[in-house]
């Protein structure tokens, strides 16, 4: 834990260097305030998912189904029935529906892993397939347009010039930091991820805690689905494609150990910003998405190698 400030300093330096590259190659187009807000807006959705992923990975788990859960939540929250209820009562119905679907999927993942004793990789892979398939069945593979004026008006607004989506990401990140670093729940998460058997002997209900971690990630997916609906005014079974890879990548380069027991919310936020800024620089310079993918892959490999080196040094 003592090396966390050092890791975060390295991430800040990497982000600053990336920004300097953006200014050097794209000039005013990159430095423009609208472009900065665009980067933050794009980072906010995957950022919320990544905060939830940080908890699960720190607790010794993994979740490959987050993108599919986001898609299912977005579709369920934009069905004609849900929109009808929202129009008759309040637009918050859309929000609560998305959160409930996300939480429900998280509970199923957690129960399968903790009580069903199914390896997290397999359990969440099954949820990935099932959630994406259910989203396709509900939407009939069509994009559903949201027409709830109150919902759109709220999420299109800004607070002191900062878009509401970015504010939500900041609040989730701040809440996640407090929960992980300043509460008993956070200490138990580190304990469960570091050594489940020792945590059990210390009186922690490891299985129940695991279910709560996956449920927390499911709620984050629900929030991300709401943000995605707000940004696109649609619900679609194609939403959230490859979110699981982006979230895990952001968590890993942020300094959270894939083996569990160590995690950092601040590092995850910087990881998300680095990947989003990288994509923005590539887009402004008309470079292909294939080149972006290669660059992301290289960054992930370097981050994991650095993690292993730090872990060995810490062990020594």
């Amino acid at each position: 834990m003592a090396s966390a400030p050092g890791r975060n300093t390295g991430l800040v330096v990497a982000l600053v260097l990336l920004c300097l590259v953006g200014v050097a190659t794209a000039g005013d187009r990159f430095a423009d305030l609208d472009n900065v807000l665009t980067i933050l807006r794009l980072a906010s959705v995957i950022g919320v998912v990544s905060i939830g992923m940080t908890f699960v990975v720190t607790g010794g788990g993994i979740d490959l189904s987050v993108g599919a859960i986001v898609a299912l939540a977005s579709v369920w929250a934009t069905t004609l029935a849900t929109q009808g209820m929202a129009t008759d009562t309040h637009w918050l119905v859309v929000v609560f529906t998305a959160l409930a679907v996300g939480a429900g999927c998280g509970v199923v993942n957690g129960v399968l892993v903790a009580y069903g004793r199914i390896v997290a990789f397999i359990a969440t892979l099954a949820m990935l397939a099932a959630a994406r398939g259910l989203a396709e069945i509900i939407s009939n593979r069509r994009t559903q347009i949201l027409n709830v004026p109150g919902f759109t008006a709220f999420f299109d607004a800004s607070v002191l010039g900062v878009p509401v989506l970015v504010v939500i990401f900041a609040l989730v990140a701040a809440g996640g930091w407090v929960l992980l670093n300043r509460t008993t729940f956070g200490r138990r998460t580190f304990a469960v991820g570091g050594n489940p058997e020792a945590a059990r002997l210390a009186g922690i209900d490891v299985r129940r805690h695991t279910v709560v971690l996956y449920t927390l990630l499911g709620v984050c997916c629900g929030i991300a689905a709401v943000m995605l609906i707000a940004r696109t005014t649609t619900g679609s079974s194609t939403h959230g494609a490859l979110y699981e890879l982006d979230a895990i990548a952001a968590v890993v380069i942020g300094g959270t150990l894939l083996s569990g027991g160590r995690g950092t919310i601040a590092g995850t936020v910087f990881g998300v910003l680095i990947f989003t800024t990288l994509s923005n620089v590539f887009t402004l310079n008309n470079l292909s998405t294939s080149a972006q993918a290669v660059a992301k892959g290289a960054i992930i490999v370097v981050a994991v190698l650095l993690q292993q080196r730090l872990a060995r040094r810490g062990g020594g």
Side-chain angles (χ1 to χ4, degrees), residues 46-282:
I46 187 63
V48 168
V49 175
S50 301
I51 297 298
M53 185 70 80
T54 303
F55 279 89
V56 168
V57 174
T58 301
I62 196 82
D63 192 339
L64 302 180
S65 65
V66 289
I69 294 173
V70 168
L72 179 58
S74 79
V75 165
W76 210 315
T78 54
T79 59
L80 290 176
T82 307
Q83 291 194 52
M85 288 173 60
T87 303
D88 293 340
T89 54
H90 198 282
W91 57 263
L92 281 173
V93 169
V94 174
V95 177
F96 289 139
T97 301
L99 294 181
V101 171
C105 292
V107 169
V108 172
N109 277 338
V111 168
L112 288 175
V113 172
Y115 293 96
R117 307 293 177 117
I118 300 175
V119 177
F121 185 93
I122 301 300
T124 58
L125 193 62
M127 177 59 77
L128 182 157
R132 188 74 72 179
L134 187 55
E136 289 176 354
I137 291 168
I138 293 172
S139 64
N140 202 20
R141 296 195 176 188
R142 293 174 182 167
T143 299
Q144 299 174 166
I145 308 298
L146 182 78
N147 186 22
V148 181
F151 178 93
T152 310
F154 178 84
F155 287 99
D156 278 349
S158 58
V159 180
L160 301 175
V162 180
V164 166
L165 297 187
V166 179
V167 173
I168 293 171
F169 175 35
L171 290 174
V172 171
W177 187 89
V178 171
L179 188 60
L180 189 62
N181 297 292
R182 293 289 183 268
T183 67
T184 303
F185 180 84
R187 288 191 291 274
R188 286 177 176 172
T189 301
F190 287 120
V192 169
N195 190 328
E197 182 59 21
R200 187 185 67 78
L201 293 173
I204 298 172
D205 190 332
V206 174
R207 290 192 291 184
R208 186 175 66 185
H209 193 85
T210 299
V211 173
V212 174
L213 288 175
Y214 279 97
T215 304
L216 180 64
L217 176 51
V219 171
C220 286
C221 290
I223 296 171
V226 171
M227 297 165 77
L228 203 52
I229 293 167
R231 206 177 77 201
T232 63
T233 66
T234 63
S236 172
S237 59
T238 61
H239 279 336
L242 298 181
Y243 270 21
E244 51 281 346
L245 298 183
D246 288 342
I248 292 169
V251 167
V252 169
I253 76 160
T256 297
L257 280 181
L258 270 177
S259 55
R262 191 181 78 196
T264 160
I265 297 294
T268 295
V269 171
F270 283 122
V272 170
L273 291 175
I274 285 171
F275 276 130
T276 311
T277 305
L278 179 74
S279 296
N280 184 260
V281 170
F282 272 72

Side-chain angles (χ1 to χ4, degrees), residues 21-43:
V21 171
V23 171
T25 57
D28 291 340
R29 286 184 303 149
F30 178 82
D32 184 66
L33 179 61
D34 286 340
N35 186 58
V36 173
L37 290 176
T38 297
I39 292 173
L40 292 174
R41 208 178 281 116
L42 290 172

